[in-house]
Amino acid sequence: MAFSRKKVVMWCLKVHAIGAIVCAFIAHLPTGEAKASETLSLSDAQFCQGGLEVIYPEIDISDCMIIPPGLRQKISKEWGPPKVRMANAKKEKYVLMMVDPDAPSRSSPTRAHWRHWLVADIEGSVLRTGTISGSVLSEYQRPRPPRHSGLHRYQLMLFRQPDHQTLSLSKEEIASLGNWEPQAFIGRFGLRRPVASVQFLTQNYED
C-alpha cells in the first residue's frame, strides 16, 4: 500500500519519541541521501498548522521540512520574497512575521529572534492569491545562516490584525534585526496566537 508524505507525517505525530523522529525524517527526505543530523524533531514537525503555504520558485513549503542541499544556495543568495498563501483566509487583515530563533546558532541563540520579514495590513483576498502586499515594517531578509552553525529554523507566522489597529516598530526595534522580542510585539498590539504557521530548516550551503 502506498502512502503520501503528508499521511506519513500525520501518522508519525500519533506515536512517540524515537518513532516520530524517524518517521518525520522519512517523510521529509529529499531526493538522494540526507545527512544523519538532518532530521526533524517532533516539536519541529508539529510547528506547522493552519494551512499556511510558502512558495519559492522551485519549492512549495506547506509542511514543516528541511530544504534539500541543492536548493540552499538559491534560497540564501538568489530568490527574493516567497509567495505566502492561505486558501481559507477570511475577509479581514493579517500580519505576517518571519523570524530565525536560532541566530547565530541553535546551540547558542544569543541573537534570537532575528527578524527576517514583517508585513501588516495584509488583506485576506490578497493572502488567498499568495502575492503578499501591505505595510512592510521590516523588509524581507534572505535566510543566510553563518557557516558551521548547523540547521536554522525559519518560522513564518500569520496573525489576525485587530480592527483599527496600526502596527509599528519602535526606534530600538528598527535599529536592529537581531535580539528582537516577537512576544513583546504580539502583546503590544493584541495579536494573540497565530492563526497559521509553517517553518523550514536550512543551513549554510558551503558547509
Side-chain angles (χ1 to χ4, degrees):
M1 182 183 295
F3 293 92
S4 68
R5 288 189 175 190
K6 181 169 288 187
K7 287 181 179 178
V8 171
V9 171
M10 294 305 294
W11 178 83
C12 289
L13 295 180
K14 296 178 182 179
V15 298
H16 299 284
I18 296 174
I21 296 172
V22 171
C23 287
F25 168 65
I26 293 171
H28 294 281
L29 188 67
T31 302
E33 193 171 339
K35 297 178 183 178
S37 61
E38 294 184 359
T39 62
L40 286 179
S41 70
L42 180 59
S43 61
D44 288 342
Q46 287 179 320
F47 183 86
C48 297
Q49 56 88 26
L52 195 61
E53 187 179 6
V54 178
I55 306 166
Y56 285 100
E58 296 179 33
I59 190 166
D60 188 334
I61 304 166
S62 56
D63 294 316
C64 290
M65 66 175 296
I66 297 172
I67 300 298
L71 299 180
R72 291 173 186 172
Q73 179 174 358
K74 293 182 178 181
I75 204 169
S76 292
K77 295 190 68 175
E78 299 177 20
W79 296 337
K83 291 186 175 182
V84 180
R85 183 167 59 202
M86 189 171 75
N88 61 346
K90 298 181 180 179
K91 191 177 181 180
E92 54 191 357
K93 289 185 178 180
Y94 293 86
V95 181
L96 178 68
M97 178 186 299
M98 178 178 175
V99 296
D100 173 6
D102 302 322
S105 71
R106 193 163 185 171
S107 60
S108 182
T110 56
R111 294 286 281 159
H113 289 72
W114 194 277
R115 193 173 65 250
H116 277 265
W117 203 11
L118 184 61
V119 185
D121 302 315
I122 303 170
E123 297 288 348
S125 57
V126 171
L127 193 57
R128 288 192 294 272
T129 69
T131 303
I132 294 299
S133 62
S135 302
V136 180
L137 305 183
S138 197
E139 295 283 351
Y140 177 77
Q141 304 289 321
R142 292 186 180 104
R144 292 179 177 173
R147 289 196 68 183
H148 312 306
S149 64
L151 288 167
H152 286 233
R153 294 166 291 173
Y154 292 91
Q155 300 177 335
L156 290 96
M157 293 166 280
L158 190 71
F159 301 84
R160 287 195 179 94
Q161 184 170 329
D163 293 338
H164 313 298
Q165 181 71 275
T166 300
L167 278 64
S168 62
L169 292 171
S170 67
K171 290 182 180 179
E172 291 77 16
E173 289 174 314
I174 293 172
S176 176
L177 297 175
N179 295 117
W180 190 49
E181 298 182 5
Q183 289 302 324
F185 180 85
I186 290 166
R188 193 159 76 237
F189 296 106
L191 300 183
R192 301 185 180 181
R193 293 173 59 85
V195 297
S197 55
V198 70
Q199 73 175 345
F200 60 86
L201 284 69
T202 189
Q203 67 182 63
N204 192 292
Y205 60 89
E206 295 179 328
D207 287 348

